[in-house]
Structures are given as C-alpha cells and as structure tokens.
Amino acid sequence: MKTFFDKTTINNKEISNRFIVAPMTRVSANLKGIPSIEMHHYYNAFAVGGFGAIITEGIYTDNLYSKAYPNQPGLVDEEQIDAWSGITTAIHKNQTLIIAQLMHAGSISQALSITKAPSKIIPLGQKLSPYGGRSGMFPVPEEMTKADIQLVIDGFINAAKNARKSGFDGIELHSANGYLLDQFLTPYLNLRTDEYGGIIENRIRIIAQITAGIKNNIPNDFIVGLRISEGKVNNLNYRWDGGSCTAKAILKEIKKMPIHYLHIAAEHYGWEEECKYPDGTSLTGLAKEILTCPVIANGKLHDLELSQELLNTQQSDLFAIGKLALANPDFVNKIINKDELVLFDSNSLFPNPSLFSDAIHKMYLDEYEELIMQN
C-alpha cells in the first residue's frame, strides 16, 4: 500500500514525502518586490519542518500589468533574483524542493488602477482589503491585444529563466483562482472571437504557448508545473458548465502540454466540495486517468484518512497543505512523531496588515504607474 512517506519524483527530482506546502499569498516583500528576511524565515521553517517540497506564493512576471498586490514578490530583476537565491539555498540544505509559482493578476489586480484582461468585463466581487486592495469594485479592464498577449507570454518565459537563475527547482504556472490565465479559460470572462477565444482549445492556447516557450528556453531538468481550479477568489462557487465532461476536455488539452505535474486547487471549501462530480468521478481522479504526470491534490487534505483514500483509489499522488501548514510549519515532523497539530487561526491568513495604510498604498500606485509609463 502507498504511504505518505514513499519517496516520489517530479521530472526525476526526488521528493522525500508526499506533502507539499501550498502556495499562499503573504505580501511580505518590499515595495520593489524584493523578498524580505521575513519571507526567508517563513519558507525555511517548512523545510526544517519536514515538507518534501514548497510552492511559493504567486510571483509577478513583468513590470507592466502582472502584479496582483502591493508587497508581492517578483522575478523580473537582479535584486529580486539575488534575494530569492538566498531563500532557495537555505531550503536546499534540508533536501526540500522549492518551486516558484508564477502569476499574472489580469483584471483582479489590487495593485493597479489600469488592468488588462482577455475581454473588457468588470470582475465580480470586490477587492480584498487585507491584501492591500482599497475597498470597492475592480476597475474595468482593457481588452488585451495580441501584442499584449505576447508580452504576457514573454514575461512568463523570462520569469522562468530568472527562477532557474535563482536556484528554484522549477516553476508552477498559476492558471487557477480567477487570475489572468484562468480568465482566458473561463467563458464568461473571455468573449474573444480570435484564436484565444471560443472553444476550449482556443481558450487554453495561451497556457499551451507559455509551457512550450518555457520548454524551449529552459533545460530539461527544470520542473514545469500547472495549477488549475474551478472556483475563483472573487467567485468561490463557480464551476465549469458540463461538469466532468468539461473537465475531461480540459485535461485532454493539458495532456498535450510539456508539464511535469498538475496541481488542482480546492482551497476554499475543500476537496470533497470542489473536486467531486455528481457522476462519482473527481477532477483529481480524472487527471490521474488522463495524464501521465503526477497529480497534486489540495483542499483540507490534512485529513489524513481522506488523503490516504485518495492514494489508495489513485486519485492523487501528492498533497498540498495550506492553512494547517501556516499553523504548523512542522506539520510533517508532527505527523511522523504523532504530535498534536495546532489549530488554524484565521488571522494568520492576513500577514502584515500595517503595510496597507492609504498613504503607503497611494505611494505604491504612484511609483508603479510611473514605471508602466516608462515601459
């Protein structure tokens, strides 16, 4: 029988156990997107605590329209690369892998007053003030031109190059939770009539082009992962029309991409609520059937009975732990030693609230908009 402590591999890189730290927004970099000493301690604690791998918070990919939050880290310049290098070096001392999650916010950026998206559609919901967004509605985005789309693709490829330069073991494309790549995939947010809109093959095209571009520019030993979800941070209850039929169609397109794992996010309600379909199948299980790469499941999977069931029934290979990892950076060591876990405190979701005064936010916007003008 499979266990949580079997050694597994992603793209021939060994992972000491099946537990991975899920990506969680920490907004703890400085205003220039340079990782801080707090971030160094944050990530290193998980490596010391026994996790087999860590996926970072979302990292922005260009200095134009990708940034989601003030104090979000980037991978676009040498200062950011150098700061990340210190973090990856520390992580590797514990034989833990570290993967950089690359993201573009698209229309749900809380850092910008001008945003770009697949179509000119105002996002649902409101900004999340604990992450630095001024209260209120999101702005109406500008519809992206093909030149804009190419800049996004180039940004992801360059950020992947910088991730390798920083010592990361790989990258994860954040194509989930309502951010830009997920906006292309979502019919009500993507009304385009060109090759990036309409049928699933077109709506997923930008993701396919990014993965192909990274493969052509990065050595083969570098991990390229992909994260998808149905729900969105600003529309938690959204599900794909067609249920498991749509899931199969999307997964068949993903199978064509040169990726080394698929990470399926279910972080709002849990795996049971977000990954199971009425016909008895699950999104993670379908991924296991259709894909040949490892599948990472997410969503209250600190419930070890449920995680073991997913292993036994071949519905997942690895488990991304989020909230309980925040409460227990030593989660894996506690499981090994059968120690009691600390309960999750919801206040820990929102770090550094003092960073987000109106004065600091205005200064950030002024600086960032000037940078966009210069580019």
Side-chain angles (χ1 to χ4, degrees), residues 187-198:
Y188 77 84
L189 295 172
N190 182 353
L191 304 182
R192 302 178 72 94
T193 57
D194 61 7
E195 65 267 37
Y196 293 97

Side-chain angles (χ1 to χ4, degrees), residues 156-232:
F156 274 101
I157 294 170
N158 289 332
K161 292 179 182 179
N162 290 340
R164 182 173 177 82
K165 189 175 179 180
S166 296
F168 284 99
D169 298 287
I171 61 94
E172 176 178 280
L173 291 182
H174 195 352
S175 304
N177 303 115
Y179 296 104
L180 181 70
L181 300 184
D182 185 37
Q183 290 163 26
F184 272 93
L185 190 56
T186 303
Y188 77 84
L189 295 172
N190 182 353
L191 304 182
R192 302 178 72 94
T193 57
D194 61 7
E195 65 267 37
Y196 293 97
I199 60 174
I200 288 173
E201 182 180 5
N202 285 351
R203 288 186 277 114
I204 207 168
R205 185 181 304 278
I206 186 173
I207 302 172
Q209 289 176 333
I210 292 168
T211 57
I214 292 173
K215 181 180 185 296
N216 292 334
N217 284 274
I218 299 292
N220 290 333
D221 64 348
F222 196 65
I223 294 170
V224 178
L226 178 66
R227 189 187 210 212
I228 63 170
S229 72
E230 296 192 43
K232 309 176 189 310

